[in-house]
Amino acid sequence: QDILNKFVIANPQVSFYIDIDGIIRNYPASDLKTRIASILKVKEDDLIEVFNDSQVKISGFVVHPRNFFKARTSQFVFVNGRPIIDNTIGKAAVDGYDTFLMKHQYPAYAMFLNMSPKDVDVNVHPRKTEVRFVSPSDVYKAVRFSVNKALMRTLKQETLEKLRVNSEELRVDESRIENREYRTKNSKPENGNIVAESKSGYVSDFESFLHGG
């Protein structure tokens, strides 16, 4: 299944209909984000785009830290189009999440790294599922930086949006209080009694207002 998932992720423009012992998996042709969301079983809104355009070019998506996983089974990496398993990239991705994840919480992602063929040796494993980087530290830094930057940008935007909404709600509450105080202060007597507006919005004479009547 892991091999199939890698193949399906790498080819979002292709439709897949997979039948494994009667269990049907259908993946219509789509864009990369939609395909990754379907494989990782998360909402598209929970995918955060990762991008880097340095010597180590990176594209793809990481999952929002609120959707952590209990294992490393939802981590997909492709180097120059080839699906691989690499501890350097895996550690860099986890470190990129920094303190956004607790111990024993793991991120999910699908990332595509592209670099010069001279910077990576793909002939270190018989099945070519592992590679050797000429400069693993450069790859580590690029992945960690890209993941962390994407997360910080998204979480900052979310925080600012929450602050904006809270600020608007506060202004509305203050306006309601000011209007209530103004109406109470400027209300006219009716039949010798002072009219006031209670918290519930009902109008009563001042005596009833004081006694909650």
Side-chain angles (χ1 to χ4, degrees), residues 24-213:
I24 306 300
R25 297 168 62 191
N26 185 29
Y27 300 103
S30 64
D31 57 30
L32 181 61
K33 186 176 185 179
T34 300
R35 178 60 58 85
I36 292 174
S38 64
I39 292 294
L40 298 181
K41 295 181 173 60
V42 298
K43 297 178 180 178
E44 289 189 39
D45 288 345
D46 286 328
L47 290 179
I48 300 172
E49 186 171 12
V50 176
F51 178 80
N52 186 59
D53 196 28
S54 65
Q55 186 175 353
V56 180
K57 292 179 171 54
I58 302 173
S59 60
F61 295 88
V62 297
V63 176
H64 195 291
R66 62 175 167 247
N67 293 73
F68 64 86
F69 288 67
K70 296 182 179 180
R72 298 184 178 91
T73 54
S74 297
Q75 301 175 351
F76 300 93
V77 177
F78 302 81
V79 173
N80 292 347
R82 184 193 305 272
I84 67 155
I85 300 172
D86 185 79
N87 291 332
T88 297
I89 295 176
K91 184 177 188 325
V94 171
D95 290 348
Y97 273 76
D98 199 19
T99 57
F100 298 131
L101 292 178
M102 304 290 286
K103 190 175 182 180
H104 304 306
Q105 295 180 350
Y106 301 98
Y109 52 80
M111 288 189 289
F112 296 79
L113 281 68
N114 285 280
M115 62 190 71
S116 170
K118 296 183 298 183
D119 294 332
V120 57
D121 183 359
V122 299
N123 297 310
V124 298
H125 190 277
R127 297 174 59 188
K128 297 188 176 181
T129 57
E130 299 177 10
V131 297
R132 181 182 293 116
F133 298 111
V134 172
S135 180
S137 62
D138 288 346
V139 174
Y140 171 87
K141 291 175 183 176
V143 173
R144 179 178 180 177
F145 171 78
S146 301
V147 170
N148 189 257
K149 181 180 179 181
L151 290 171
M152 291 294 290
R153 181 183 65 247
T154 298
L155 294 175
K156 180 180 179 180
Q157 291 174 345
E158 291 178 352
T159 300
L160 290 175
E161 178 62 21
K162 288 180 181 178
L163 290 174
R164 184 188 66 79
V165 171
N166 290 339
S167 178
E168 290 179 353
E169 291 177 347
L170 180 60
R171 285 198 296 270
V172 170
D173 289 341
E174 289 176 344
S175 177
R176 288 173 177 170
I177 292 173
E178 290 174 356
N179 289 337
R180 181 181 298 124
E181 290 176 346
Y182 177 83
R183 288 195 300 270
T184 301
K185 181 179 179 180
N186 294 278
S187 57
K188 296 180 180 180
E190 290 185 4
N191 299 324
N193 295 320
I194 298 176
V195 176
E197 183 180 357
S198 68
K199 294 181 180 180
S200 63
Y202 294 102
V203 177
S204 62
D205 61 67
F206 189 66
E207 184 70 16
S208 296
F209 178 70
L210 288 177
H211 294 86

